[in-house]
């Protein structure tokens, strides 16, 4: 629905930004709280942008799989990883959500309650101001417009450019290759990520863990093309392109970050809700949607909702210090050209441990196992990473 046709009467909940976190929240509330008037305001002309969101089967509970299932387009019973000295096939299921399916399902759940092509210039707990000057009021507002500058958080970055391609002949893959690090490391940790959508269609992403957020799309595109050629795949057509710069959390003060962001309720990357190491945000978005669906009552208001989300985000951040420690070791202790050894060693561990790691549910025994043995980084450099100092 275009901005000029949108009903501007005050809803219960106004979601600013039609990306993953807000879309999942709207979908979940439509299922369990259909009495609530929930609306989305999105700057672009479609929900979800140009993205493919993936997750491991073990990242979600059975109940969460149940309600998110309409969004899932591609399912595989396992995946592969490849490193210079080691390859492995794992039997953990892998799932992908496309932006097209996401937009269709969320739009069907909120008929007449989505405003597209409507940039927002400012928000408060109960109001959003559009670029054209209109003011939209609601009982509560959640700002989920994606990442912003984070001076209170120390971040590395996982950057990627992906090309969905149609090949001249079948590729022969039966499962995703989540990491293929048998490529030039380009001064950091680099791998190619490949999803087989059908026998001749692939999404191939050149992915790099780097200190800076700058993304040279031409370099990454060429990396995809070179990798395809190395595999003997002849690209017939490029169907579409997607890219992203995902945060990798190293250190920081989440309370200071949330305070700096202001009093409005937040979701997604703005709230710091992402896996610290992988940058995957879908599982955290699902959990936030369930969290709020359990708590929203007819008498909620913007300030109390914002405080609840801040508590939730703070608890999530506090519980993930171990992953930030590993990230500091990867970025600050490992030699850039040898960072792949950290992941190569990790993937030799038992599959259940790997599954819990990706679900951000590592046990104390898991953490001890990950840190035990000969470290893949210099011991002196590793010791300097042990303490999380936060940011000034």
């Amino acid at each position: 629905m275009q901005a000029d046709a949108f009903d501007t009467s005050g809803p219960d909940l106004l979601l600013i930004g039609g990306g993953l976190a807000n879309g999942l929240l709207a979908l979940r509330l439509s299922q369990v709280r259909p009495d609530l008037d929930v609306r989305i305001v999105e700057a672009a002309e479609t929900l979800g942008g140009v993205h493919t969101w993936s997750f491991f089967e073990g990242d979600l509970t059975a109940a969460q799989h149940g309600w998110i299932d309409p969004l899932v387009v591609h399912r595989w019973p396992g995946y592969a990883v490849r490193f210079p000295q080691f390859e492995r096939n794992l039997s953990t299921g892998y799932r992908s959500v496309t932006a097209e399916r996401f937009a269709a399902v969320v739009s069907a759940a909120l008929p007449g309650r989505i405003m597209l092509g409507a940039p927002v210039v400012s928000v408060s707990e109960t109001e959003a101001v559009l670029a054209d000057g209109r003011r939209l009021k609601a009982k509560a507002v959640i700002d989920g417009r994606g990442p912003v500058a984070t001076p209170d958080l120390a971040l590395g970055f996982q950057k990627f450019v992906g090309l969905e391609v149609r090949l001249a002949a079948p590729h022969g893959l039966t499962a995703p290759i989540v990491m293929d690090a048998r490529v030039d490391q380009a001064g950091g940790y680099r791998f190619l990520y490949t999803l087989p959508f059908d026998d001749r269609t692939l999404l191939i992403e050149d992915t790099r863990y780097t200190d800076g957020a700058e993304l040279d799309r031409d370099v990454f595109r060429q990396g995809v093309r070179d990798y395809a050629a190395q595999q003997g795949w002849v690209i017939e057509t490029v169907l579409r392109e997607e890219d992203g710069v995902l945060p990798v959390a190293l250190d920081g003060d989440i309370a200071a970050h949330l305070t700096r962001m202001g009093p409005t309720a937040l979701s997604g990357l703005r709230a710091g809700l992402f896996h610290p190491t992988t940058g995957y945000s879908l599982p955290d978005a699902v959990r936030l949607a369930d969290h709020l669906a359990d708590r929203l009552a007819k008498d909620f208001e913007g300030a109390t909702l914002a405080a609840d989300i801040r508590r939730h985000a703070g608890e999530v951040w506090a519980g993930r210090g171990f992953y930030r420690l590993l990230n500091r070791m990867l970025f600050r202790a490992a030699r850039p050209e040898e960072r792949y050894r950290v992941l190569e060693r990790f993937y030799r561990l038992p599959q259940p441990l790997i599954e819990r790691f990706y679900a951000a549910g590592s046990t104390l025994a898991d953490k001890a196992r990950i840190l035990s043995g000969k470290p893949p980084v210099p011991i002196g450099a590793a010791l300097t990473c042990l303490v999380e100092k936060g940011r000034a």
Side-chain angles (χ1 to χ4, degrees), residues 193-210:
Y193 169 91
T194 304
L195 300 180
F197 290 157
D198 63 34
D199 65 342
R200 288 176 53 199
T201 305
L202 296 172
L203 174 63
I204 310 172
E205 293 183 353
D206 188 337
T207 304
R208 311 184 189 201
Y209 278 65
T210 65

Side-chain angles (χ1 to χ4, degrees), residues 147-148 150 153-159 208-214 244-252 269 274-279 317 323-324 327-328 330-332 339 391:
V148 291
T150 57
L153 307 179
L155 303 176
F157 299 93
Q158 180 190 161
K159 305 182 297 193
R208 311 184 189 201
Y209 278 65
T210 65
D211 297 320
E214 300 78 15
V245 180
L246 303 179
V248 177
L250 308 179
D251 203 340
L269 297 180
F274 58 90
H275 192 294
T277 302
T278 68
W317 182 274
Y323 305 102
R324 294 192 295 278
N327 296 341
R328 293 195 297 277
L330 180 68
F331 277 83
R332 297 173 180 171
R339 288 176 179 172
R391 299 299 295 272

Side-chain angles (χ1 to χ4, degrees), residues 19-32:
L20 181 66
N22 278 355
L24 291 180
L25 176 56
L27 177 62
R28 187 59 175 150
L29 290 176
S30 75
Q31 295 168 345
V32 301

